[in-house]
Amino acid sequence: MGVFVSTDDPGPAGHEQVVFCQDRQSDLKAIIGIYSTALGPALGGTRFYPYASEEAALADVLDLSRGMAYKNALAGLDLGGGKAVIWGDPDQVKSEALLRAYGRFVQSLGGRYYTACDVGTYVADMDVIARETRYVTGRSVEHGGAGDSSVLTAWGVFQGMRAAAEHVWGSPSLRGRRVGVAGLGKVGRHLTGHLVDDGAEVVATDVDPRALEWARTNHPAVALVADTAALVAADIDVYAPCALGGALNDDSVPALRARVVAGAANNQLAHPGIEKLLADRGILYAPDYVVNAGGVIQVADEIEGFNFDRAKLRATRIFDTTRQILRLADDEGVPPAVAADRLAERRMADVGRLRAIHLG
Ligand SMILES: NC(=O)c1ccc[n+]([C@@H]2O[C@H](COP(=O)([O-])OP(=O)(O)OC[C@H]3O[C@@H](n4cnc5c(N)ncnc54)[C@H](O)[C@@H]3O)[C@@H](O)[C@H]2O)c1
């Protein structure tokens, strides 16, 4: 896999910078990928994962950092896109020394890259990394951080779902709609609360019995089904994937009865072409990276000194952005996922080029 832009690179620009970091004593092997700083410093989390190979780690960081550039652009943030991976099993090698060594590499980039939590890294880890660098978000509340980002992720998903409902049924209200939530984890639980408050009927599933118990205790009216396949086949109006990636695939899309898909999970489309399959079946897909941007909006706010109300206001605007994307998709005759990419690329180009104006 090449790092530099090539003729088959799908993006408009290619990655700006990819940094390999190593500290043998602590077993740190990290790769920081900066896709774009057109809109500002790159922001994206650190994934700590036991990749099968260095190539797999590199492929993931290139993919994820590019995704963050698009997500941050459409979230209206003055931030570019980046991501980092630490190659190793966090249960085996995560230590204070490793995290602090990693923090020093982040600091060495002088603010071109801000890190945050991702799979395998937590708020407590960010507090350790912050002992070596200023360029870290997702810290604990005691350290001026934003805390659990699932709060505004769920709020943003709810806003995106409302915009999709308006597009399909003429009203953003979910009152009386049947919404299927796959995954009652951190985001799925908050989302269920917003849906119930709005008067929706919620049908849900989770593989973890504790999540089902949470639903029975807190929302006894929520109907629980055996698994995701049963949820997809159920008589629902909206499908909200809130568990793992790849929820929209060659098996689930043909079986899906919902008119709208809007959920928190990252990378919901299992492979290119699924967005077309959804469109052909008349299912409106609110792109995952647009509607789940509330979390990055929440942690990005730390850079200004965290203010929950300001961050919530920004996450509320996911309604307007989703509406704009759905209209653009109609106008340009493309699936919403394509319209979202176009809008993100436009903002990166239009605002990014302003740096060319000499300030004297
Ligand atoms: N937390 C955030 O701020 C945030 C931000 C953006 C995107 N996301 C994405 O949203 C999704 C949910 O995030 P989260 O923070 O709630 O994670 P989480 O781990 O708290 O919750 C995931 C839930 O899904 C359940 N699950 C796993 N496999 C399942 C299956 N096959 N069928 C049904 N349920 C299953 C798990 O038991 C768990 O309850 C993830 O894809 C995540 O990447 C989260």
Side-chain angles (χ1 to χ4, degrees), residues 44-326:
T46 301
R47 184 163 294 191
F48 204 143
Y49 191 76
Y51 293 100
S53 65
E54 187 175 314
E55 288 70 30
L58 177 61
D60 209 27
V61 78
L62 293 179
D63 199 32
L64 293 166
S65 55
R66 179 174 186 273
M68 286 309 299
Y70 282 70
K71 181 185 280 203
N72 293 345
L74 285 188
L77 298 169
D78 290 334
L79 292 166
K83 198 93 178 185
V85 296
I86 298 178
W87 177 22
D89 182 347
D91 293 336
Q92 302 288 326
V93 298
K94 195 191 281 181
S95 66
E96 178 190 350
L98 181 147
L99 292 170
R100 292 182 73 154
Y102 172 63
R104 291 186 73 80
F105 284 110
V106 172
Q107 181 67 19
S108 77
L109 293 173
R112 282 178 49 73
Y113 168 67
Y114 277 86
T115 197
C117 302
D118 194 69
V119 174
T121 57
Y122 302 90
V123 166
D125 299 329
M126 295 305 126
D127 285 342
V128 176
I129 291 169
R131 290 161 75 175
E132 302 295 341
T133 180
R134 285 186 286 142
Y135 306 116
V136 51
T137 67
R139 298 184 65 188
S140 62
V141 176
E142 307 85 80
H143 285 99
D148 178 5
S149 64
S150 64
V151 175
L152 288 188
T153 300
W155 180 246
V157 170
F158 178 57
Q159 297 306 324
M161 194 184 289
R162 291 175 68 249
E166 180 192 64
H167 199 81
V168 171
W169 296 297
S171 161
S173 172
L174 293 155
R175 174 163 295 280
R177 302 279 171 215
R178 297 195 88 210
V179 182
V181 179
L184 288 170
K186 294 186 290 294
V187 180
R189 293 180 195 196
H190 289 299
L191 179 63
T192 297
H194 298 315
L195 291 167
V196 168
D197 289 348
D198 201 30
E201 280 178 51
V202 178
V203 188
T205 190
D206 198 293
V207 289
D208 185 342
R210 287 168 302 182
L212 302 177
E213 198 45 47
W214 173 88
R216 285 191 197 101
T217 307
N218 293 280
H219 295 287
V222 169
L224 298 171
V225 295
D227 53 27
T228 306
L231 188 70
V232 163
D235 180 18
I236 52 174
D237 300 303
V238 181
Y239 176 41
C242 294
L244 308 176
L248 302 170
N249 53 48
D250 293 312
D251 295 325
S252 64
V253 174
L256 193 59
R257 294 173 68 183
R259 285 285 316 279
V260 166
V261 177
N266 281 309
N267 304 327
Q268 288 171 31
L269 302 172
H271 60 78
I274 292 285
E275 71 287 350
K276 173 102 179 22
L277 199 59
L278 285 159
D280 290 347
R281 289 214 55 225
I283 300 168
L284 188 77
Y285 167 63
D288 49 11
Y289 77 83
V290 178
V291 303
N292 74 13
V296 76
I297 289 172
Q298 182 165 337
V299 299
D301 200 82
E302 284 179 32
I303 297 171
E304 286 182 68
F306 185 58
N307 178 306
F308 182 80
D309 294 334
R310 178 177 60 207
K312 185 172 181 184
L313 199 64
R314 279 201 182 119
T316 305
R317 291 195 199 116
I318 289 175
F319 179 90
D320 301 314
T321 310
T322 308
R323 179 195 254 170
Q324 191 185 357
I325 286 162
L326 298 178

Side-chain angles (χ1 to χ4, degrees), residues 350-360:
D350 291 350
V351 179
R353 89 171 171 80
L354 300 179
R355 308 274 171 90
I357 298 173
H358 184 60
L359 296 179

